[in-house]
Amino acid sequence: MKKIFLILSFLVCANAFSQILSSNVEKKTIALGETNHLVIKIDNLHDEQVSSAAKNELLPFHFEETKDSIGQNANSYERKIEFAVFEEGKFTIPELEFKVGDRILKTIPYEIDVINTAQKADQINDIMKIRR
């Protein structure tokens, strides 16, 4: 009985006092230049500070960050990044590190497929006529 109580209390304490990091990418496949969103949340901060890369510098150079907002209060941290990719291919968002107090939390890596939706038969229309 003591062992069960000890294990149960350990699990409750470990869950109650640990930070929970979650991340989410809106789309795994996007078109060239289409915007996508990455959301990173850390809960159960207990007034600890979170440090990470500076605004608009979190993602690798293939990802063009258009918006990067950070929200933090006493118990949670949320970072929303809107980005686009202007090259075709498969690109990886690597593990991103966030330092909470003296602990380092890492997100999972994401693989993004970027496809070109234009077809060879598509007609290109200029916005303005050529002036001569």
Side-chain angles (χ1 to χ4, degrees):
M1 185 68 174
K2 278 187 171 183
K3 286 184 180 181
I4 293 173
F5 179 72
L6 183 63
I7 292 171
L8 187 61
S9 64
F10 175 73
L11 290 175
V12 168
C13 288
N15 196 19
F17 296 112
S18 65
Q19 287 85 25
I20 300 170
L21 181 132
S22 63
S23 61
N24 183 5
V25 170
E26 185 178 22
K27 300 174 193 172
K28 302 282 184 172
T29 303
I30 59 174
L32 270 172
E34 180 183 5
T35 58
N36 200 0
H37 297 90
L38 171 66
V39 178
I40 300 157
K41 293 181 182 180
I42 305 173
D43 293 319
N44 297 333
L45 288 178
H46 307 293
D47 289 325
E48 292 186 272
Q49 286 297 320
V50 176
S51 61
S52 64
K55 272 190 164 189
N56 298 320
E57 294 180 10
L58 188 64
L59 298 180
F61 67 93
H62 290 293
F63 299 91
E64 184 71 34
E65 296 182 35
T66 54
K67 289 183 185 174
D68 190 352
S69 63
I70 300 172
Q72 185 172 357
N73 62 32
N75 207 31
S76 68
Y77 171 90
E78 184 175 55
R79 188 160 182 174
K80 295 180 182 178
I81 302 168
E82 182 179 278
F83 64 91
V85 181
F86 296 101
E87 294 179 42
E88 272 185 274
K90 282 189 181 214
F91 299 97
T92 301
I93 298 174
E95 290 180 336
L96 303 173
E97 293 184 353
F98 293 85
K99 187 173 181 181
V100 180
D102 58 345
R103 294 181 54 204
I104 294 179
L105 304 176
K106 295 181 180 182
T107 63
I108 59 173
Y110 291 100
E111 197 165 276
I112 306 291
D113 287 323
V114 181
I115 58 172
N116 188 354
T117 57
Q119 304 293 323
K120 285 188 176 186
D122 288 347
Q123 185 177 7
I124 298 173
N125 295 321
D126 285 337
I127 296 171
M128 295 178 63
K129 292 183 180 181
I130 298 174
R131 294 182 184 180
R132 294 180 191 213

